[in-house]
Short mmCIF file of all heavy atoms in Angstrom, two decimals:
data_model
loop_
_atom_site.label_atom_id
_atom_site.label_comp_id
_atom_site.label_asym_id
_atom_site.label_seq_id
_atom_site.Cartn_x
_atom_site.Cartn_y
_atom_site.Cartn_z
N LEU A 52 -68.36 -35.58 -47.44
CA LEU A 52 -68.02 -36.43 -48.57
C LEU A 52 -68.25 -37.88 -48.14
O LEU A 52 -68.25 -38.19 -46.95
CB LEU A 52 -66.57 -36.22 -48.98
CG LEU A 52 -66.21 -34.80 -49.44
CD1 LEU A 52 -64.70 -34.65 -49.57
CD2 LEU A 52 -66.89 -34.45 -50.74
N GLY A 104 -63.95 -31.52 -43.83
CA GLY A 104 -63.00 -30.64 -43.16
C GLY A 104 -61.63 -30.62 -43.82
O GLY A 104 -61.36 -31.35 -44.78
N GLY A 105 -60.77 -29.76 -43.30
CA GLY A 105 -59.42 -29.62 -43.82
C GLY A 105 -59.44 -29.31 -45.31
O GLY A 105 -60.21 -28.46 -45.77
N SER A 106 -58.61 -30.01 -46.06
CA SER A 106 -58.51 -29.78 -47.51
C SER A 106 -59.36 -30.76 -48.31
O SER A 106 -59.22 -30.85 -49.53
CB SER A 106 -57.04 -29.92 -47.95
OG SER A 106 -56.57 -31.22 -47.64
N SER A 107 -60.26 -31.48 -47.63
CA SER A 107 -60.98 -32.57 -48.31
C SER A 107 -61.83 -32.08 -49.47
O SER A 107 -61.85 -32.70 -50.54
CB SER A 107 -61.86 -33.33 -47.31
OG SER A 107 -62.81 -32.47 -46.70
N GLN A 108 -62.54 -30.95 -49.30
CA GLN A 108 -63.41 -30.49 -50.38
C GLN A 108 -62.60 -30.05 -51.60
O GLN A 108 -62.96 -30.37 -52.74
CB GLN A 108 -64.28 -29.32 -49.89
CG GLN A 108 -65.39 -28.92 -50.87
CD GLN A 108 -66.43 -30.00 -51.07
OE1 GLN A 108 -66.74 -30.76 -50.15
NE2 GLN A 108 -66.97 -30.09 -52.28
N ALA A 109 -61.50 -29.35 -51.37
CA ALA A 109 -60.66 -28.91 -52.48
C ALA A 109 -60.07 -30.11 -53.22
O ALA A 109 -59.98 -30.11 -54.46
CB ALA A 109 -59.54 -28.01 -51.98
N MET A 110 -59.67 -31.14 -52.49
CA MET A 110 -59.10 -32.33 -53.12
C MET A 110 -60.17 -33.08 -53.91
O MET A 110 -59.91 -33.61 -55.00
CB MET A 110 -58.45 -33.22 -52.06
CG MET A 110 -57.29 -32.53 -51.34
SD MET A 110 -56.51 -33.55 -50.08
CE MET A 110 -55.35 -34.48 -51.06
N TYR A 111 -61.39 -33.13 -53.36
CA TYR A 111 -62.47 -33.75 -54.10
C TYR A 111 -62.74 -33.01 -55.40
O TYR A 111 -62.93 -33.63 -56.45
CB TYR A 111 -63.76 -33.80 -53.27
CG TYR A 111 -64.94 -34.25 -54.09
CD1 TYR A 111 -65.17 -35.60 -54.32
CD2 TYR A 111 -65.80 -33.32 -54.68
CE1 TYR A 111 -66.22 -36.02 -55.11
CE2 TYR A 111 -66.85 -33.74 -55.47
CZ TYR A 111 -67.07 -35.09 -55.68
OH TYR A 111 -68.10 -35.49 -56.48
N GLU A 112 -62.79 -31.68 -55.35
CA GLU A 112 -63.04 -30.89 -56.55
C GLU A 112 -61.96 -31.15 -57.60
O GLU A 112 -62.24 -31.22 -58.80
CB GLU A 112 -63.10 -29.39 -56.22
CG GLU A 112 -64.26 -28.99 -55.31
CD GLU A 112 -65.62 -29.26 -55.91
OE1 GLU A 112 -65.72 -29.37 -57.16
OE2 GLU A 112 -66.59 -29.38 -55.14
N CYS A 113 -60.73 -31.29 -57.15
CA CYS A 113 -59.63 -31.59 -58.07
C CYS A 113 -59.87 -32.92 -58.76
O CYS A 113 -59.70 -33.05 -59.98
CB CYS A 113 -58.31 -31.62 -57.30
SG CYS A 113 -56.85 -31.90 -58.32
N LEU A 114 -60.30 -33.93 -58.01
CA LEU A 114 -60.60 -35.23 -58.59
C LEU A 114 -61.81 -35.17 -59.51
O LEU A 114 -61.82 -35.78 -60.58
CB LEU A 114 -60.84 -36.25 -57.48
CG LEU A 114 -59.60 -36.72 -56.73
CD1 LEU A 114 -60.00 -37.44 -55.45
CD2 LEU A 114 -58.76 -37.63 -57.60
N SER A 115 -62.82 -34.42 -59.09
CA SER A 115 -64.04 -34.31 -59.89
C SER A 115 -63.76 -33.67 -61.24
O SER A 115 -64.28 -34.11 -62.28
CB SER A 115 -65.09 -33.51 -59.12
OG SER A 115 -66.30 -33.43 -59.85
N GLU A 116 -62.93 -32.63 -61.25
CA GLU A 116 -62.58 -31.97 -62.51
C GLU A 116 -61.88 -32.92 -63.46
O GLU A 116 -62.00 -32.80 -64.68
CB GLU A 116 -61.68 -30.76 -62.22
CG GLU A 116 -62.42 -29.60 -61.57
CD GLU A 116 -61.48 -28.51 -61.12
OE1 GLU A 116 -60.26 -28.63 -61.39
OE2 GLU A 116 -61.95 -27.53 -60.51
N ARG A 117 -61.16 -33.88 -62.91
CA ARG A 117 -60.44 -34.85 -63.73
C ARG A 117 -61.27 -36.11 -63.99
O ARG A 117 -60.78 -37.07 -64.58
CB ARG A 117 -59.13 -35.25 -63.05
CG ARG A 117 -58.08 -34.14 -63.04
CD ARG A 117 -56.90 -34.53 -62.18
NE ARG A 117 -55.74 -33.69 -62.42
CZ ARG A 117 -55.57 -32.48 -61.94
NH1 ARG A 117 -56.50 -31.94 -61.15
NH2 ARG A 117 -54.48 -31.77 -62.22
N LEU A 159 -56.28 -39.40 -50.71
CA LEU A 159 -56.77 -38.46 -51.73
C LEU A 159 -55.63 -37.97 -52.62
O LEU A 159 -55.80 -37.79 -53.83
CB LEU A 159 -57.47 -37.29 -51.05
CG LEU A 159 -58.77 -37.65 -50.30
CD1 LEU A 159 -59.26 -36.45 -49.49
CD2 LEU A 159 -59.84 -38.11 -51.27
N ILE A 163 -55.23 -38.24 -56.68
CA ILE A 163 -54.94 -37.11 -57.56
C ILE A 163 -53.70 -37.38 -58.41
O ILE A 163 -53.68 -37.11 -59.61
CB ILE A 163 -54.75 -35.82 -56.72
CG1 ILE A 163 -56.09 -35.40 -56.11
CG2 ILE A 163 -54.18 -34.68 -57.58
CD1 ILE A 163 -55.98 -34.27 -55.09
N LYS A 217 -55.18 -25.35 -63.67
CA LYS A 217 -56.13 -24.64 -62.80
C LYS A 217 -56.03 -23.13 -62.91
O LYS A 217 -56.36 -22.40 -61.97
CB LYS A 217 -55.94 -25.06 -61.32
CG LYS A 217 -55.96 -26.55 -61.10
CD LYS A 217 -57.19 -27.19 -61.69
CE LYS A 217 -57.13 -28.69 -61.63
NZ LYS A 217 -58.19 -29.34 -62.43
#
Side-chain angles (χ1 to χ4, degrees):
L52 298 169
S106 60
S107 60
Q108 190 65 34
M110 298 179 85
Y111 171 82
E112 295 298 338
C113 183
L114 286 166
S115 182
E116 289 172 4
R117 289 172 164 79
L159 294 171
I163 291 171
K217 308 307 173 191

